[in-house]
Amino acid sequence: MIYIENDSTDPFFNFALEYYLITEKNLPEDQIFIFWRTEPTLMVGKYQNTIEEINQNYAKENGIKVVRRITGGGTIYTDMGGWQFSFITRGQSDTIDFSKYISPVIEGLKKLDVPAEFNSRNDLVIQGKKFSGNAQCMLNGYTLHHGSLLFSTDFEQMVKCLTVDDYKIISKGIKSVKERVTNISDHLTKPIDTDTFKKLMVDSIMQGSKEHYQLTDTDLARIKAIAKEKFASWEWNYGKSPKFNITKTGRFDGGKMEFKLDVNKGKITDCHIYGDFFGTMDISVLSNALIGADYEKESIKKAIAQGDIKQGFYNINVDELADIIC
Amino acid sequence: MKKNIQMPKLSEQMESGVLASWNKEVGEVVEKGEVLFEIEMDKVVSEVESMESGVLEAVFFEEGDEIKADEIIAVINCD
């Protein structure tokens, strides 16, 4: 096993690094280990519906990044008070096994007297509370196993990001499972800081081995390109969501308006509008304008910023409409 | 000759999994070894390669459906 030092805290870069190693780099070693962290980020499972899982407005207002993983499972919040670990292993086993990747992590934690154990969802828990979520994918002849470690993560922020506005949504996306969480630092007999924790965990998992690979300028250039084209793109993070149906309701001075939207591959494919609002315009002008737009605020504003829609409703403006729809 | 494609069983305990995405559409040519679909179970995403070459003739489930292991999910016409 070789170790790759990765000081980047950019989630797009860090996921691009994993992806690059799996799909392009083809290092000769059988197993690669990376230990990394991110700025405040919401990481969504590969087949989840992003808007169903996160508080998009809160994330936007607070500069929290949103990125879709290439692995399964639910949504997690990560910040500089936590760590992520990745094992990239050559070969795809026919059967699923999490324990061989998680056991070295449990061993490392035992050295710090942290009583960690597995639960039935392949998460790691201390006294029944989760501090590590794990997920995998099998891609291009490799198995990627990555997991999170909550060390001193801001739970207040976590809860705010993951509390979704109250609206009705129907989709076949994989749903997240809410669990009680805990920080590792609350269970240490001797306090250590996050950097010391990283060093101890890396040393334990690498079993003292200093084998490592240093990313070259060529590697970095490709990884940055993948980060930009794939992991930071709206198409990947929102457009890849499974098709869904969403109902959004707004109450304006001019009346109540309800939107029922079908969204497929990130685009609005059907739209029905109901309510007791007053307007001079046939409502189908608005629904037709919305069909074909990306389910994203700026795209929606652009779609409805037409003269007759702007003036078409009594006491309802375009910005208010866009805020309700998305 | 027509070949049935089954939902793979990825572990002893696996009873069902989610058909996460189709990488081919009905009517498309599929080569042996190409990724035909992806499944998700227990937080693991797996690409499933086609064991046959032919034309994808029919699919019986759509993306997001939960399917029992070994159930027939598609047919490939190998002629």
Side-chain angles (χ1 to χ4, degrees), chain A residues 133-310:
Chain A
N134 289 270
Q136 288 185 6
C137 77
M138 301 192 192
L139 180 64
N140 198 37
Y142 285 88
T143 301
L144 165 66
H145 177 109
H146 56 197
S148 58
L149 293 168
L150 297 170
F151 185 79
S152 54
T153 284
D154 181 347
F155 288 156
E156 203 185 317
Q157 181 95 305
M158 173 188 282
V159 169
K160 285 178 180 163
C161 294
L162 294 172
T163 305
V164 182
D165 294 340
D166 189 20
Y167 47 72
K168 203 174 148 200
I169 190 159
I170 300 162
S171 87
K172 283 188 173 175
I174 304 274
K175 309 287 187 277
S176 293
V177 178
K178 300 254 187 235
E179 288 173 276
R180 290 165 73 208
V181 288
T182 189
N183 273 316
I184 293 166
S185 63
D186 292 342
H187 301 273
L188 294 171
T189 44
K190 228 170 43 184
I192 51 170
D193 62 29
T194 44
D195 291 307
T196 310
F197 176 71
K198 174 192 175 182
K199 191 178 178 316
L200 292 171
M201 289 302 289
V202 172
D203 286 350
S204 172
I205 290 166
M206 290 301 293
Q207 298 177 329
S209 163
K210 297 285 175 216
E211 293 268 342
H212 69 281
Y213 174 76
Q214 178 80 41
L215 296 169
T216 65
D217 288 346
T218 319
D219 294 330
L220 292 172
R222 256 320 278 156
I223 296 163
K224 282 177 189 161
I226 297 169
K228 187 164 174 254
E229 287 157 19
K230 185 178 175 81
F231 291 99
S233 73
W234 185 88
E235 287 72 23
W236 171 254
N237 294 319
Y238 291 93
K240 276 267 176 194
S241 291
K243 66 179 172 191
F244 62 93
N245 173 281
I246 188 165
T247 305
K248 301 290 284 274
T249 309
R251 281 171 187 83
F252 309 95
D253 294 342
K256 184 185 153 192
M257 240 178 164
E258 187 177 76
F259 294 85
K260 283 187 185 292
L261 304 163
D262 287 345
V263 183
N264 194 7
K265 295 191 167 70
K267 281 194 190 314
I268 298 172
T269 54
D270 201 7
C271 171
H272 294 276
I273 304 165
Y274 309 91
D276 57 3
F277 49 86
F278 292 108
T280 55
M281 186 186 69
D282 184 346
I283 200 67
S284 65
V285 177
L286 178 57
S287 50
N288 286 337
L290 285 168
I291 292 170
D294 287 343
Y295 189 67
E296 181 263 335
K297 206 165 274 180
E298 289 312 311
S299 170
I300 285 169
K301 272 188 194 167
K302 221 166 128 188
I304 60 180
Q306 306 169 17
D308 43 351
I309 295 179
K310 267 187 192 169

Side-chain angles (χ1 to χ4, degrees), chain A residues 56-75:
Chain A
Q56 210 176 337
N57 287 335
Y58 184 85
K60 212 171 198 177
E61 283 158 17
N62 291 277
I64 294 159
K65 294 187 168 149
V66 177
V67 61
R68 184 183 296 281
R69 298 191 303 267
I70 57 172
T71 53
T75 301

Side-chain angles (χ1 to χ4, degrees), chain A residues 305-321:
Chain A
Q306 306 169 17
D308 43 351
I309 295 179
K310 267 187 192 169
Q311 271 95 50
F313 299 100
Y314 175 71
N315 263 353
I316 303 174
N317 72 42
V318 165
D319 284 349
E320 283 178 315
L321 276 178

Side-chain angles (χ1 to χ4, degrees), chain A residues 41-58:
Chain A
T41 300
L42 287 158
M43 298 179 180
V44 180
K46 182 166 185 187
Y47 290 110
Q48 287 201 295
N49 181 4
T50 307
I51 68 145
E52 193 175 2
E53 297 293 335
I54 67 162
N55 186 329
Q56 210 176 337
N57 287 335
Y58 184 85

Side-chain angles (χ1 to χ4, degrees), chain A residues 46-47 70-73 94-96 98 121 123 134-140 172 174 243, chain B residues 9-12 18 20-21 23 38-47 62-65:
Chain A
K46 182 166 185 187
Y47 290 110
I70 57 172
T71 53
D94 291 336
T95 54
I96 294 166
F98 276 55
R121 281 186 49 78
D123 295 324
N134 289 270
Q136 288 185 6
C137 77
M138 301 192 192
L139 180 64
N140 198 37
K172 283 188 173 175
I174 304 274
K243 66 179 172 191
Chain B
K9 192 173 167 77
L10 289 185
S11 71
E12 284 296 310
V18 173
S21 81
N23 291 29
E38 288 182 36
I39 59 172
E40 173 162 348
M41 72 146 306
D42 286 349
K43 303 194 281 185
V44 182
V45 169
S46 301
E47 291 185 331
E62 63 174 37
E63 293 175 353
D65 283 341

